[in-house]
Amino acid sequence: MLHLSLIIVENMKFNTKAIHGGQENTDPAYGSVMPPIYQTSTYKQSTPGGHKGFEYSRSGNPTRAALEKAVASIENGSFGLAFGSGLAAIDAVMKMFKPGDEIISTNDLYGGSYRLFTKIFQNLGIKFHFVGMNDAANIEDFINEKTRLVWVETPTNPTMKIIDIEEVSKIAKKHDLLLAVDNTFATPYLQQPLELGADIVMHSATKYLGGHSDVVMGCLVVKEEELAKKLRFIQNASGAVCGPMDSFLVLRGIKTLHIRMQRHCENGAAVAGFLKDHPKVDKVYWPGFEDHPNHEIAKVQMKDFGGMISFTTKEGSLESAVKIVENLKIFTLAESLGGVESLAGHPASMTHASIPKEERAKTGIVDSLIRLSVGIEDEEDLINDLKQALK
Ligand SMILES: *Cc1c(COP(=O)(O)O)cnc(C)c1O
C-alpha cells in the first residue's frame, strides 16, 4: 500500500500552517508534540497484509509522512512526496515521461537540473528546449504535439529573473501541458505556484525549508490525486527516498520558515541597497529594485523579494570576484543557499560549472558574478563584512 498523505483543506494562515499544517494526531501512542523519529525499515504484521498503514520504509514511513503532509500544507497542495535530494525529486518528475516526449524548460536554470536534463534524460530520448521565459509567450514557439511539460524556475538562479507563473500556466493549460515550478528560491512563504496554476511544485528542501544547512532533501507537492499516484509509484519503484531523521530535521526547519524568511528578506533588502551604491560594484540582481526588469511581476507574484542577491564587479575579472569571496569573513564561501548563515558563491566556477561557458554567458553568468545567500545574522555585521571584502 502506498501512502498518499492527503491534506484536508485547512483554514489557517501561513504562519500557523508552518507550525501546525498537516500535523494533527502525529503520535497516537503518547501524544508527543513532535512526531517521533521512526528509525525502522519495516513494521510487524499480525497476519500477512495485516499492518497499521506502513509495511516497509521505502514505501512509507510515519516520520516521512508527517513531513510530506506539512510540505503539502504550506504549499496549499493536497499531496506531498519527499525524496533523498532535490535532484531525486526532479528525477521522479522526469520519469513520468517517455522517449519522444518534449519538455520546455527555463534557460536560466540550476546547474544540476540542467545536467540531469541534458546528460541523463536527453540520452533516454526526451527532448528539452531551453527557453528564456521573461516573456511567457516565448514558449508558444516550442510547443508541438509531443510537448508534455513546462519546467519553470523563478526567481532564476543566479540572475534573479522573475517568470510570470500565471501567464505560463495559462499557455500550458491551453495546450494541455503540465506545469512544474522549482520553488526552492522563493519558498511557499513568498510564492505559492499551485495557487497560480502550476500542477507540480518542487523543492530542494536542502535550502530554505530545512534552513540550517544540515540535511540534503527534495520534495514535490501536487493537488491532483492521479498525478500524486503516478509520482508516488515512481518514488517507491525508483526508491530515492529520504530517511526518518532527515524528515524530522526538515519538519523542524519548516516550523520557523516564516520568521526566517522575514529576516532573510529584511537583510536581503539592506545588502542589495548597500551593493547598489558601492563604487566597485557593477550590476546587482535582486527583484526588489524598482528598475529590475521583472519588478512588477515580482510585486504581484511574491510576498517579498527574498535574500538571494547576485552582483558583478566593475573590474570584471574572475580574479576580482575570487578575491572578494576569499576576503569575506562572516559570509562563508560555500555551495548551497537558504541556511541561517550567510553564504557567498562564485557560480562560474562552483554551482554553474557544469554549464558550458558559452551557455553561461548567454544568461548573464559572467566570470565576475558573485551570488549571496543572505542569512539571518545582524544586518550591520553583514554590510561591514562586504565593505571590508570589497576594499
Ligand atoms: C539546490 C537546488 C536544486 C537541487 O537540490 P539538491 O537538494 O541539491 O539535490 C534544485 N533547484 C534549485 C533551485 C536548487 O537551488
Side-chain angles (χ1 to χ4, degrees), residues 40-70:
T40 185
S41 61
T42 191
Y43 308 81
K44 182 180 171 183
Q45 306 192 3
S46 53
T47 178
H51 54 76
K52 296 178 172 157
F54 295 93
E55 50 190 349
Y56 185 61
S57 281
R58 170 163 35 72
S59 319
N61 171 285
T63 317
R64 195 180 91 209
L67 167 73
E68 290 176 332
K69 285 183 181 170

Side-chain angles (χ1 to χ4, degrees), residues 183-251:
N183 205 28
T184 301
F185 268 39
T187 83
Y189 175 82
L190 294 179
Q191 137 185 315
Q192 299 183 336
L194 296 177
E195 296 294 298
L196 301 168
D199 302 286
I200 303 171
V201 172
M202 175 263 154
H203 276 281
S204 169
T206 314
K207 318 294 169 53
Y208 287 106
L209 295 191
H212 295 73
S213 307
D214 52 9
V215 62
V216 172
M217 188 191 289
C219 296
L220 299 175
V221 180
V222 301
K223 273 190 166 164
E224 290 298 317
E225 185 164 3
E226 278 316 300
L227 196 50
K229 279 184 178 161
K230 265 191 201 170
L231 290 165
R232 184 64 90 200
F233 177 83
I234 294 167
Q235 182 194 40
N236 182 52
S238 285
V241 294
C242 51
M245 181 67 203
D246 287 354
S247 301
F248 175 86
L249 285 172
V250 172
L251 190 56

Side-chain angles (χ1 to χ4, degrees), residues 257-276:
L257 179 65
H258 52 304
I259 50 171
R260 284 187 288 110
M261 287 310 293
Q262 196 182 342
R263 182 64 70 84
H264 283 298
C265 291
E266 288 167 14
N267 284 356
V271 166
F274 163 78
L275 289 170
K276 198 173 190 164

Side-chain angles (χ1 to χ4, degrees), residues 27-40:
D27 176 23
Y30 299 108
S32 68
V33 168
M34 276 302 280
I37 301 164
Y38 283 94
Q39 193 73 49
T40 185

Side-chain angles (χ1 to χ4, degrees), residues 84-90 109-110 112-113 151 153 155 157 182-185 202-207 215-218 336-337 371:
S85 71
L87 284 174
I90 303 175
L109 194 64
Y110 174 70
S113 307
W151 183 271
E153 200 179 303
N157 178 14
D182 182 337
N183 205 28
T184 301
F185 268 39
M202 175 263 154
H203 276 281
S204 169
T206 314
K207 318 294 169 53
V215 62
V216 172
M217 188 191 289
S336 200
L337 60 107
R371 190 188 78 182

Side-chain angles (χ1 to χ4, degrees), residues 250-306:
V250 172
L251 190 56
R252 180 161 86 162
I254 286 173
K255 287 177 191 280
T256 56
L257 179 65
H258 52 304
I259 50 171
R260 284 187 288 110
M261 287 310 293
Q262 196 182 342
R263 182 64 70 84
H264 283 298
C265 291
E266 288 167 14
N267 284 356
V271 166
F274 163 78
L275 289 170
K276 198 173 190 164
D277 292 337
H278 198 282
K280 285 193 183 161
V281 172
D282 188 18
K283 291 198 183 81
V284 183
Y285 299 98
W286 183 66
F289 290 136
E290 272 175 28
D291 61 356
H292 182 287
N294 318 120
H295 179 68
E296 290 307 314
I297 306 168
K299 247 177 29 187
V300 176
Q301 182 163 289
M302 299 168 72
K303 182 188 166 106
D304 204 335
F305 305 107

Side-chain angles (χ1 to χ4, degrees), residues 167-183:
E167 283 304 306
V168 174
S169 111
K170 279 183 198 154
I171 299 169
K173 285 208 165 63
K174 191 170 83 187
H175 296 277
D176 221 10
L177 311 176
L178 287 172
L179 170 61
V181 176
D182 182 337
N183 205 28

